[in-house]
Amino acid sequence: MAEGHANLDTGFAQRIKALACTAPLHDLDARKSSVQSADLTAYQMSELALHAIDLVTLAMDFDAGASPERTVADLSRYAADQAPDRSAAEHEHAAGWVLENLLNVGSADRGFRAVYGMTGTDGRYERRDFDFRLLEEVPGADGGIYLRASNEAVNVLVGALEVDIESAQIAADVRLETLIRRGRLSDAQAAAQAARYRTIQYGEMLRQRLEATSRDVRTVDWLTAMPTFIEEALEHIEARCRAENAILVNITEARDTADTPVRKQQAAALVGIVRDCLRRHEQLQAALQNAGRRFRAEQDRQTFAPQPVRADLDLHAQLLQPALALPVHDADGVLAAYFTRVVGLAVRPALRLADLFTLLVTPPAVREVLGSEIEEPELSEAAEVPRFPEECYEHLEWLLDLDVEAPRRLSGLLEEARDLHPELPLLVVVRVLALAAQEIGPAVRHGASSVLLAVDDGAVLSDSEFAGADLIVARAGLTTPAEGDGAGPEGAVVGALSRDLMPVGRERGAA
């Protein structure tokens, strides 16, 4: 019962917060009659405020925001629609007044505060403060000032608060696809706009965390939380791009097959919204891929940055004047506490005249021009430990000491190698693979009588450790071709390769 009561209080608090986010918009209509500089009673200020938040949200990119001048100009056109008989200057004044109130210019911290209550676990009613912002002014890379919409402002546009972005995005995509399939394009346009707001909100979360990293890398958990967030965001992008591309195909088909101009226009607007979502996903993906590199750069910058220089104590204004204004008894305690902490535990010799004179008359010590002698370091040669024991090479030479008449399979060599040494099978495989890649030409030029080769006849190796082809290892005899017959080095191979290699025995010495 207590758990159900807690869930009820949580849902109630979310609804109170949702109402609090819309309160500044309703307050505009309540205060528009008190504006002294112009008569703004003809305007619906809450509608203009929603348009302002919409304009700023859609103009936001990952690294930049909306231009205040452009926002006022665009908002003035909505004001002109509400009062076409008023002057353009008044339209611009109304738009600027709405924008200033959304920024809450008159307050010290540019934020809004709402008070709500919840019943705690002990059954007592507790009042709490909910601080939020709608629009914010942020500095741009070019030195200008831009506007950005907060998460609360985006939630005002979509009519929700504190919901999981991933779940809301999936629900919006399903709803959008269903509306398009049923031909309800007007409702589908509203759903597509809500999906775009969720995409913007996801990018805003990443931007805020990267900005916090730029200020202090210790405020963001880059060990666990951020890698998990980046992985989830990349999965989100992959799923959303797949869904939105499929939706884009359906919308394009609906646009091309529309039978009325209104439906064709609605479908074209939907195409533009979904393409804008895909563009924002590309920006978010690029930012996510660059997040790790940005963290490492900020970590290096903040690690090796010089320590902040603290201002020195103003002895005249902060110590002498206050001490002179005190009685002698009180001033003595203040000055004694200051000099006790300033002097420290040990007094420097230079503070006494006798020690200073001694330091001045003492001749400097003679120093070597090239510095002191450097001792030769004792270096010990570290012997490289061989990969295989010496006896493995002896066993390998014995295994591969084959006659021309007795080729062998690699599988048989491996079975015999395991009986000789546990590390010998790997050495046999390395050596046989080298035999499979060697050329005959060098052996002919050096006048060798035979050459050891490995040949693949298509048989599959059946072994517990290794896989691949069961190569035939054979020693081929070499003869010198007759002069003028035009045969190359390959023509010099006789013996085991000039005859059929099968049957091949698995036991040593089998013909």
Side-chain angles (χ1 to χ4, degrees):
M1 190 67 181
E3 183 180 357
H5 184 66
N7 294 334
L8 180 62
D9 285 346
T10 302
F12 180 76
Q14 290 181 354
R15 293 194 295 272
I16 291 295
K17 291 180 181 180
L19 288 176
C21 291
T22 60
L25 280 65
H26 300 297
D27 187 56
L28 296 178
D29 285 316
R31 293 189 296 108
K32 63 183 179 181
S33 59
S34 61
V35 178
Q36 302 294 330
S37 57
D39 181 16
L40 303 181
T41 56
Y43 300 95
Q44 297 294 328
M45 293 302 180
S46 57
E47 296 179 9
L48 293 179
L50 280 176
H51 286 307
I53 297 175
D54 198 8
L55 290 172
V56 173
T57 303
L58 296 181
M60 281 170 31
D61 277 332
F62 188 80
D63 297 322
S67 170
E69 295 79 8
R70 178 66 181 275
T71 303
V72 171
D74 293 341
L75 191 60
S76 300
R77 291 196 287 269
Y78 291 103
D81 293 338
Q82 294 183 2
D85 55 335
R86 302 295 180 92
S87 62
E90 183 177 300
H91 299 156
E92 185 174 351
H93 179 71
W97 185 78
V98 170
L99 194 60
E100 288 180 358
N101 282 273
L102 291 178
L103 291 169
N104 205 5
V105 175
S107 63
D109 59 350
R110 299 290 183 92
F112 300 95
R113 170 170 292 182
V115 180
Y116 68 99
M118 286 184 62
T119 303
T121 55
D122 55 355
R124 296 173 55 188
Y125 183 80
E126 301 176 356
R127 297 187 183 275
R128 302 183 181 182
D129 294 333
F130 173 50
D131 296 318
F132 64 95
R133 294 183 181 183
L134 294 178
L135 297 183
E136 298 176 286
E137 288 182 330
V138 295
D142 56 354
I145 300 297
Y146 293 95
L147 302 177
R148 297 192 71 90
S150 65
N151 288 333
E152 290 80 9
V154 177
N155 283 324
V156 169
L157 292 176
V158 297
L161 185 70
E162 292 185 352
V163 297
D164 179 64
I165 298 176
E166 178 72 14
S167 300
Q169 185 76 52
I170 295 173
D173 285 339
V174 173
R175 179 170 177 243
L176 177 59
E177 186 176 2
T178 303
L179 292 173
I180 293 172
R181 187 170 61 250
R182 295 181 179 179
R184 297 169 58 183
L185 296 183
S186 58
D187 295 335
Q189 184 173 356
Q193 290 174 345
R196 178 167 57 179
Y197 293 144
R198 290 302 178 193
T199 300
I200 296 172
Q201 201 170 12
Y202 214 106
E204 187 67 11
M205 289 177 57
L206 177 63
R207 186 192 66 83
Q208 291 175 357
R209 298 187 183 187
L210 291 180
E211 283 189 354
T213 301
S214 300
R215 292 189 295 268
D216 189 354
V217 295
R218 295 171 296 181
T219 60
V220 182
D221 182 11
W222 279 91
L223 183 62
T224 304
M226 277 303 291
T228 303
F229 173 79
I230 292 175
E231 183 179 358
E232 291 176 355
L234 290 174
E235 293 176 356
H236 160 84
I237 292 174
E238 181 182 1
R240 298 286 69 74
C241 288
R242 188 183 302 112
E244 287 164 4
N245 278 310
I247 293 172
L248 186 61
V249 173
N250 295 333
I251 300 174
T252 306
E253 182 180 356
R255 180 195 60 187
D256 297 339
T257 59
D259 52 356
T260 61
V262 175
R263 290 179 60 82
K264 188 176 289 292
Q265 184 178 3
Q266 290 175 342
L270 276 173
V271 170
I273 293 174
V274 175
R275 285 179 177 172
D276 183 60
C277 288
L278 291 172
R279 179 185 64 83
R280 292 181 183 275
H281 284 319
E282 293 177 358
Q283 291 182 345
L284 180 59
Q285 182 182 13
L288 289 168
Q289 292 174 344
N290 192 44
R293 183 163 56 250
R294 184 170 174 178
F295 161 68
R296 290 187 293 271
E298 289 296 333
Q299 187 181 40
D300 294 341
R301 181 184 67 83
Q302 296 177 26
T303 300
F304 299 104
Q307 296 294 329
V309 180
R310 295 180 175 85
D312 295 333
L313 177 65
D314 188 356
L315 293 177
H316 180 78
Q318 296 179 336
L319 182 64
L320 179 59
Q321 288 184 352
L324 291 176
L326 295 174
V328 176
H329 180 271
D330 296 336
D332 181 66
V334 173
L335 295 176
Y338 167 74
F339 283 105
T340 300
R341 288 167 173 78
V342 169
V343 172
L345 300 177
V347 181
R348 294 180 179 274
L351 296 179
R352 297 186 299 177
L353 182 59
D355 296 330
L356 180 61
F357 176 78
T358 303
L359 292 176
L360 291 175
V361 299
T362 301
V366 180
R367 299 180 179 180
E368 295 290 340
V369 179
L370 300 178
S372 60
E373 184 179 358
I374 300 177
E375 297 182 358
E376 290 290 338
E378 295 182 0
L379 303 178
S380 60
E381 296 183 0
E384 184 178 357
V385 180
R387 174 62 181 85
F388 298 98
E390 186 65 29
E391 57 267 23
C392 285
Y393 294 96
E394 297 176 359
H395 293 319
L396 177 66
E397 184 177 357
W398 179 79
L399 283 175
L400 298 181
D401 185 16
L402 303 177
D403 296 331
V404 176
E405 301 291 337
R408 300 198 61 192
R409 289 278 187 187
L410 175 60
S411 55
L413 294 174
L414 291 176
E415 291 179 3
E416 193 169 351
R418 288 190 178 91
D419 298 333
L420 298 175
H421 197 279
E423 296 187 15
L424 183 57
L426 178 59
L427 183 59
V428 170
V429 170
V430 174
R431 177 58 178 154
V432 170
L433 291 179
L435 294 176
Q438 74 171 347
E439 297 181 358
I440 306 174
V444 176
R445 289 194 297 269
H446 287 83
S449 59
S450 64
V451 62
L452 197 62
L453 295 175
V455 182
D456 182 10
D457 65 340
V460 179
L461 177 63
S462 177
D463 191 84
S464 59
E465 288 186 71
F466 306 99
D470 195 0
L471 302 177
I472 298 175
V473 183
R475 180 170 296 278
L478 301 178
T479 58
T480 304
E483 257 184 63
D485 61 358
E490 291 78 4
V493 182
V494 295
L497 294 186
S498 62
R499 297 182 299 273
D500 187 6
L501 290 174
M502 297 299 292
V504 179
R506 286 186 174 268
E507 300 298 330
R508 185 171 182 82

